[in-house]
Amino acid sequence: MMSANKMSANKAKRPSYHVQVIDRALSVLEVLAAEGQALSLVKLSKRLGLPKSTTMRLLMVLEGHRFVQKSTESGLYRLGLKLFELGSKAVAQFDLSERARPHLERLVSRTGETAYLSVLDGGEALVLERVESSRAVRVPASVGWRNPAHCTAVGKVLLAFMPEGKLTAVVGKARLPAYTKNTITSLARLREELQLVREHGFALDDEETEDGLRCVAAAVREHSGRVAAALGILGPAFRIPDESVATLAATVISAADELSAELGYRAAAPRAAEPYASLDH
């Protein structure tokens, strides 16, 4: 049974901003986790201090999303497997960040530019890990930094290798927002750009997120071959001119492949960066 002290501690940790129904749903999960055993509707409602009807509605929604599982025999409720799936992914991401850091450090050493690792979170590329350049003029990429996927090199890589048919669900059907004159703003043109990424093995952000900023990125694959993340470099456009893109891309691809191999991926043959330029804007 959850003690009064533990319940108080949990409440103390909560943020000042509340959405009542979400707070209550999360409280259901916290109570089930603290108990360590299945509970009846009556016991859950007492632990939560909520009416049975309210508790039942919360449980029905949580059960529908597999966060809670109800026993068909006893009628008791326990935590569902969806939490295990999400927890496994969270652990994998933390492990990925730790494994990526030495590769990012070598990439900074080889290119002189800030190197970073990103994953797809909705329609955004989220930075999990980064190592900054030591150059006087450098572009920082903080952990937790987010940018729209359609106009970043790492984002394009992550979109290019996602399952067929999911692109529209992620980036939407409407006109994509423009951040510079180079930003791709239509889904049709984005699809063409992603085809280039698949063909040439890397993506280029050609001042599409911010004027004067260029990025080059390649895919990181896990043992199954699924693209788990994107690894990229970020720097001022004057240090990543057109004539240097292929060489830098080859270095980024090599680093991404080294990390993929560490994650258990075995490619049929090493990738090579082919001449590539982002679509004319």
Side-chain angles (χ1 to χ4, degrees), residues 14 19-32 44 48 50 54-55 57-63 65 67-68 79 83:
R14 290 176 180 170
V19 177
Q20 188 182 62
V21 68
I22 296 177
D23 281 346
R24 288 176 169 179
L26 293 175
S27 293
V28 172
L29 301 180
E30 288 172 356
V31 169
L32 288 173
L44 266 172
L48 294 166
L50 295 173
T54 301
T55 305
R57 288 196 294 271
L58 293 170
L59 288 168
M60 289 175 67
V61 174
L62 290 169
E63 186 181 7
H65 289 280
F67 287 104
V68 165
L79 295 177
L83 291 168

Coordinates of all heavy atoms in Angstrom, one line a residue, residues 14 19-32 44 48 50 54-55 57-63 65 67-68 79 83:
R14 N 5.3 17.4 -8.4 CA 4.5 17.7 -9.5 C 4.6 19.2 -9.9 O 4.8 20.1 -9.0 CB 3.0 17.4 -9.3 CG 2.8 15.9 -9.3 CD 1.4 15.6 -8.9 NE 1.2 14.1 -8.9 CZ 0.1 13.5 -8.4 NH1 -0.9 14.3 -8.0 NH2 0.0 12.2 -8.5
V19 N -3.2 19.8 -15.7 CA -4.4 19.5 -16.5 C -5.1 18.3 -15.7 O -4.5 17.2 -15.7 CB -4.0 19.0 -17.9 CG1 -5.3 18.6 -18.7 CG2 -3.3 20.2 -18.7
Q20 N -6.2 18.6 -15.1 CA -6.7 17.7 -14.1 C -6.8 16.2 -14.6 O -6.4 15.3 -13.9 CB -8.1 18.2 -13.7 CG -8.7 17.4 -12.5 CD -10.0 17.9 -12.0 OE1 -11.0 17.8 -12.8 NE2 -10.1 18.3 -10.8
V21 N -7.4 16.0 -15.8 CA -7.6 14.7 -16.2 C -6.3 13.9 -16.5 O -6.2 12.7 -16.2 CB -8.5 14.6 -17.5 CG1 -7.8 15.2 -18.7 CG2 -8.9 13.2 -17.8
I22 N -5.3 14.7 -16.9 CA -4.0 14.0 -17.1 C -3.3 13.7 -15.8 O -2.8 12.6 -15.6 CB -3.1 14.9 -18.0 CG1 -3.6 15.1 -19.4 CG2 -1.6 14.3 -18.1 CD1 -2.9 16.0 -20.3
D23 N -3.4 14.7 -14.8 CA -2.9 14.4 -13.5 C -3.5 13.2 -12.9 O -2.9 12.3 -12.3 CB -3.2 15.6 -12.6 CG -2.3 16.8 -12.8 OD1 -1.2 16.6 -13.5 OD2 -2.6 17.9 -12.4
R24 N -4.8 13.1 -13.1 CA -5.5 11.9 -12.5 C -5.1 10.6 -13.1 O -4.9 9.6 -12.5 CB -7.1 12.1 -12.6 CG -7.6 13.1 -11.6 CD -9.1 13.4 -11.8 NE -9.7 14.2 -10.8 CZ -10.9 14.6 -10.7 NH1 -11.8 14.2 -11.7 NH2 -11.4 15.3 -9.7
A25 N -5.0 10.6 -14.5 CA -4.6 9.4 -15.2 C -3.2 9.0 -14.7 O -2.9 7.8 -14.5 CB -4.6 9.7 -16.7
L26 N -2.3 10.0 -14.6 CA -0.9 9.6 -14.2 C -0.9 9.1 -12.7 O -0.1 8.3 -12.4 CB 0.0 10.9 -14.3 CG 0.3 11.3 -15.7 CD1 1.1 12.6 -15.8 CD2 1.0 10.2 -16.5
S27 N -1.8 9.7 -11.9 CA -1.9 9.2 -10.5 C -2.3 7.7 -10.5 O -1.9 7.0 -9.6 CB -2.9 10.0 -9.8 OG -2.5 11.3 -9.6
V28 N -3.2 7.3 -11.4 CA -3.6 5.9 -11.5 C -2.3 5.0 -11.7 O -2.1 4.0 -11.0 CB -4.6 5.6 -12.6 CG1 -4.8 4.1 -12.8 CG2 -5.9 6.3 -12.4
L29 N -1.5 5.4 -12.7 CA -0.3 4.7 -13.0 C 0.7 4.7 -11.8 O 1.3 3.7 -11.5 CB 0.4 5.3 -14.2 CG -0.4 5.3 -15.5 CD1 0.4 5.9 -16.6 CD2 -0.8 3.9 -15.9
E30 N 0.8 5.8 -11.1 CA 1.7 5.9 -10.0 C 1.2 5.0 -8.8 O 2.1 4.3 -8.2 CB 1.8 7.4 -9.5 CG 2.5 8.3 -10.4 CD 2.4 9.7 -10.0 OE1 1.7 10.0 -9.0 OE2 3.1 10.6 -10.6
V31 N -0.1 4.9 -8.6 CA -0.6 4.1 -7.5 C -0.3 2.6 -7.9 O 0.1 1.8 -7.0 CB -2.1 4.3 -7.3 CG1 -2.7 3.3 -6.4 CG2 -2.3 5.7 -6.7
L32 N -0.6 2.2 -9.1 CA -0.4 0.8 -9.5 C 1.1 0.5 -9.4 O 1.4 -0.7 -9.0 CB -0.9 0.6 -10.9 CG -2.4 0.6 -11.1 CD1 -2.8 0.5 -12.5 CD2 -3.1 -0.6 -10.3
L44 N -8.6 1.1 -5.9 CA -8.0 2.2 -6.7 C -8.7 3.5 -6.4 O -8.0 4.6 -6.2 CB -8.0 1.9 -8.2 CG -6.8 1.2 -8.8 CD1 -7.1 0.8 -10.2 CD2 -5.6 2.1 -8.7
L48 N -6.9 6.8 -4.7 CA -6.9 8.1 -5.5 C -7.8 9.1 -4.9 O -7.6 10.3 -5.2 CB -7.4 7.8 -6.9 CG -6.5 6.9 -7.8 CD1 -7.2 6.5 -9.0 CD2 -5.2 7.6 -8.1
L50 N -11.0 9.4 -5.4 CA -11.9 9.7 -6.5 C -13.1 8.8 -6.5 O -13.1 7.7 -6.0 CB -11.2 9.6 -7.9 CG -10.0 10.5 -8.1 CD1 -9.4 10.1 -9.5 CD2 -10.5 12.0 -8.2
T54 N -15.5 8.0 -11.8 CA -14.4 8.8 -12.4 C -13.2 7.8 -12.6 O -12.6 7.9 -13.7 CB -14.0 9.9 -11.5 OG1 -15.1 10.8 -11.3 CG2 -12.8 10.7 -12.1
T55 N -12.9 7.0 -11.6 CA -11.8 6.1 -11.7 C -12.0 5.1 -12.8 O -11.1 4.8 -13.6 CB -11.6 5.3 -10.4 OG1 -11.5 6.3 -9.3 CG2 -10.4 4.4 -10.4
R57 N -13.7 5.6 -15.6 CA -13.5 6.2 -16.9 C -12.0 6.4 -17.2 O -11.6 6.2 -18.3 CB -14.2 7.6 -16.9 CG -15.7 7.5 -17.0 CD -16.3 8.9 -17.4 NE -16.1 9.9 -16.3 CZ -16.9 10.1 -15.3 NH1 -18.0 9.4 -15.2 NH2 -16.6 11.0 -14.4
L58 N -11.2 6.7 -16.2 CA -9.8 6.8 -16.4 C -9.2 5.5 -16.8 O -8.4 5.4 -17.7 CB -9.1 7.3 -15.1 CG -9.4 8.8 -14.7 CD1 -8.9 9.0 -13.3 CD2 -8.8 9.7 -15.7
L59 N -9.6 4.4 -16.1 CA -9.1 3.1 -16.4 C -9.5 2.6 -17.8 O -8.7 2.0 -18.4 CB -9.6 2.1 -15.3 CG -9.1 2.2 -13.9 CD1 -9.9 1.4 -12.9 CD2 -7.6 1.8 -13.9
M60 N -10.7 2.9 -18.2 CA -11.1 2.5 -19.6 C -10.2 3.2 -20.6 O -9.8 2.5 -21.6 CB -12.6 2.9 -19.8 CG -13.5 2.0 -19.0 SD -15.3 2.6 -19.1 CE -15.5 2.2 -20.9
V61 N -9.9 4.4 -20.5 CA -9.0 5.1 -21.4 C -7.6 4.5 -21.4 O -7.0 4.2 -22.4 CB -9.0 6.6 -21.2 CG1 -8.0 7.3 -22.1 CG2 -10.4 7.2 -21.4
L62 N -7.1 4.4 -20.2 CA -5.7 3.8 -20.0 C -5.6 2.4 -20.5 O -4.6 2.0 -21.2 CB -5.3 3.9 -18.5 CG -5.1 5.2 -18.0 CD1 -4.9 5.2 -16.4 CD2 -3.8 5.9 -18.6
E63 N -6.7 1.6 -20.3 CA -6.7 0.3 -20.8 C -6.8 0.3 -22.4 O -6.1 -0.6 -23.0 CB -7.9 -0.5 -20.3 CG -7.9 -2.0 -20.6 CD -9.2 -2.7 -20.1 OE1 -10.1 -2.0 -19.5 OE2 -9.2 -3.9 -20.2
H65 N -5.4 2.3 -24.3 CA -4.1 2.6 -24.8 C -3.0 1.6 -24.3 O -1.8 1.9 -24.5 CB -3.7 4.0 -24.5 CG -4.5 5.1 -25.2 ND1 -4.2 5.4 -26.5 CD2 -5.6 5.8 -24.9 CE1 -5.0 6.4 -26.9 NE2 -5.9 6.6 -26.0
F67 N -1.9 1.1 -21.3 CA -1.1 1.5 -20.2 C -1.6 0.8 -18.9 O -0.8 0.7 -18.0 CB -1.3 3.0 -19.9 CG -0.6 3.9 -21.0 CD1 -1.3 4.5 -22.0 CD2 0.8 4.0 -20.9 CE1 -0.6 5.3 -22.9 CE2 1.5 4.8 -21.8 CZ 0.8 5.4 -22.9
V68 N -2.8 0.3 -19.0 CA -3.3 -0.5 -17.9 C -3.9 -1.8 -18.4 O -4.5 -1.8 -19.6 CB -4.4 0.3 -17.1 CG1 -5.2 -0.6 -16.2 CG2 -3.7 1.4 -16.2
L79 N -0.4 -2.6 -14.2 CA 0.2 -1.8 -15.3 C 0.3 -2.6 -16.6 O 0.5 -3.8 -16.5 CB 1.6 -1.4 -14.9 CG 1.7 -0.5 -13.7 CD1 3.2 -0.2 -13.3 CD2 1.0 0.8 -14.0
L83 N 3.7 0.5 -21.1 CA 4.7 1.2 -20.3 C 6.0 0.5 -20.5 O 7.1 1.2 -20.5 CB 4.3 1.1 -18.8 CG 3.0 2.0 -18.5 CD1 2.5 1.7 -17.1 CD2 3.4 3.5 -18.6

